[in-house]
Amino acid sequence: PGQLDMALAVAQALQTGEHLAVEAGTGVGKTFAYLVPVLLSGQRALLSTATQALQDQLFTRDIPAVSRALGLPVRAALLKGRSSYLCLHRLELARTVGSSTQRDPAVAAGLEQVQRWARLTRSGDVGELDGLDERSPLRLLITSTRHNCVGNTCPQAAACHVNLARRQAREADWVVINHHLFFADQVIRETEAVDWLPETGVVVLDEAHQLNDTGVQLLSRAIASDQLHDLARELGVQGHARARGLRPWAHLALNLEQACCAVSSLTREAGTQSRSAWADATPDGLDPAAWLRAVTGLDQALTAALEAVSATAQSAAELARLLDRIKALQSTWNHLAPGGASPMDATRVRWMEWGAERSWRMVRAPLDSAERFGRLLQDAEPGTRSWIFASATLGHDDALSWFTRGLGLDQHPTVRTLRVASPFDHGEQASLFVPHDLPEPADAAHTPELAARVAQWATRLGGRTLVLTTTLRAVARMAEALSQLVLQGRCAPVVVLAQGRLSRAALLARFRAAALTPHGAILVASASFWEGVDLAGDALQLLVIDKLPFPSPDDPLTAARAARLELQGLKAFGDGSLLEAAMALKQGAGRLIRTETDSGVLVIGDRRLLTRSYGLALLASLPPMRRVVDEADMSAALDALVLTRSSTRDRPCS
């Protein structure tokens, strides 16, 4: 019934040219609920989802299934970002133009493997290559960006995989993209008057709860150490290859590398967060004089590179593209650096971001994506295009205000909202345990104590345990504590898997496989594992969330949003952080029950749910579940899961 309600609401929106935001709980089947009415409408459609993995699922499984079921053919095309496709020209350059990176035997062997695959692939999607991580140096060598692509002058233009994918997208009835590509297209349309995506009568944005944050990321102006290191490498390689002797290319590249490293080497005050607020001339936690020296050096290195390439750009198309790239970086730099061309205002925030391995990013971001979506909905002729926003998590009220406010949809009378409840009986299928005797989350003893409990529970259950933490640092601490317990023999020899040690797909595959072994596995993860993880059946029966997922109040973006709420007469905590935590908690808890036959226990290791006034509001955001009151009750609940497990039920009697 819920799926039918959603499908009818989507059909009505398509007929009237209105817009619909729909929250469909786990198990509703929202993908078919929008695909069926879109296909029956006969309209061209743009279908966007959160990740490339979900894109592939939509394109290869869901769309063909609906098309076959209805007997209605549809020409669908799959389109990803440029960096997802092999660039034949850059592959050839990487194999013929020498540099320290290419002389690495591992990279050279990788290039030969890519060359063999390049002769066979039809799509050029580098996702077909096993083990090619997004940050792999090899991937940077064999894919292009809009700044280093040589365009129509490319000798491989006729065989270009990017051009072929875009041509297929323009000719298709439906185009399947991801949210990053959707926003990237919006930016390119605005800055370069070029569009990749066709005009369609329907836009469906699935996993829509991610749109605001994805939009903020893509609509930001940023300059990063990775970009500058890559630019320095390109400066040395292309300058030497295309204009040898005309400028000191190696020296220019070295200056840029050193200037980038000078920023990385800045000493930060103790306690400085990974994101430093940057409201004044100097980011928080840095010495003003040292900061000024570093950014002056970076400015001079960029200027020298710009002058050198400007003087030689006529000699080769590659240098002309390199010049465009440096100009774009210089423009971003002018918006970000002290005394930048664009003053700060109440709708934007600036910060300095410190990453792993001495990487950094300077960012200036909008507070949300409302301005962009407001423009998209206003610019369209009334009734000519319907926007469908769908997710399992969009709000706590019928108006879906958490979601609609972030995108500015609450200001548009043609946007309707719908909530469709999950068909699962969580009261029968799931239990909730909030241990009252754990240390406070801020206490150093919290993680070791929770790890000891998790080890006991997982031993009783035979693994089948997923631990979601609120930070990546907590992943390392929890995984280490669990591993020590296993080594010390204080629990069963359960396998401890941790995010960061293997790819996401490999971790999930090993976790599923471990469920078939006597002791099973515990998977500890954060970030992306809070959503999009589908471990149906008996593979996952215990889900542990270490702490309530409140956004950090010290984060510059969170602080700026809080200040804006206060100016609007709202409460920074109640109307901001609390709603964010409720939505994240709802998303994380949704990993446990994935089908009508699943069963399990959810543990939230944060006693603030029981002791703070906001605890009831957060509990109300979760599906109704049976409450586990103490450790004895918890043991009984876990034993019941083992006894009712399908593998146990199906086993013949001895």
Side-chain angles (χ1 to χ4, degrees), residues 353-555:
E353 192 169 297
W354 309 97
E357 300 178 356
R358 298 166 67 85
S359 63
W360 52 263
R361 289 175 76 233
M362 301 177 187
V363 184
R364 184 181 177 193
L367 299 192
D368 56 36
S369 304
E371 180 183 352
R372 172 65 56 176
F373 272 94
R375 216 180 308 159
L376 288 172
L377 268 60
Q378 286 173 354
D379 290 349
E381 290 290 329
T384 59
R385 174 180 263 194
S386 294
W387 293 76
I388 309 298
F389 305 89
S391 172
T393 310
L394 290 185
H396 66 291
D397 57 3
D398 289 342
L400 304 177
S401 53
W402 173 80
F403 171 73
T404 56
R405 187 174 64 203
L407 293 189
L409 303 180
D410 55 340
Q411 304 300 315
H412 294 271
T414 57
V415 177
R416 296 187 299 111
T417 59
L418 174 68
R419 298 181 80 190
V420 182
S422 169
F424 300 153
D425 187 350
H426 286 83
E428 285 292 324
Q429 295 177 250
S431 303
L432 171 64
F433 183 32
V434 184
H436 61 84
D437 54 348
L438 281 174
E440 286 285 338
D443 192 321
H446 177 270
T447 296
E449 177 62 28
L450 180 59
R453 305 277 186 97
V454 169
Q456 293 171 10
W457 299 330
T459 295
R460 202 172 197 106
L461 196 56
R464 304 166 194 270
T465 300
L466 170 63
V467 181
L468 294 176
T469 69
T470 54
T471 66
L472 289 171
R473 286 194 299 271
V475 169
R477 291 196 299 267
M478 176 63 72
E480 175 62 24
L482 288 168
S483 297
Q484 286 300 316
L485 291 167
V486 173
L487 286 173
Q488 294 165 7
R490 295 170 59 187
C491 66
V494 63
V495 176
V496 178
L497 303 170
Q499 184 179 358
R501 297 177 184 174
L502 293 168
S503 70
R504 174 186 166 111
L507 283 171
L508 293 174
R510 288 194 61 182
F511 183 78
R512 289 187 180 96
L516 304 176
T517 65
H519 301 296
I522 303 172
L523 172 57
V524 187
S526 183
S528 61
F529 283 77
W530 281 71
E531 53 187 89
V533 171
D534 194 3
L535 294 165
D538 297 335
L540 173 63
Q541 293 192 303
L542 175 60
L543 173 64
V544 180
I545 294 176
D546 71 334
K547 301 176 184 178
L548 295 176
F550 285 111
S552 170
D554 297 324
D555 179 80

Side-chain angles (χ1 to χ4, degrees), residues 470 545-550 581 585 604 606 608-609 614 618:
T470 54
I545 294 176
D546 71 334
K547 301 176 184 178
L548 295 176
F550 285 111
L585 190 62
I604 302 176
D606 194 328
R608 290 178 295 178
L609 270 175
Y614 54 74
L618 290 174

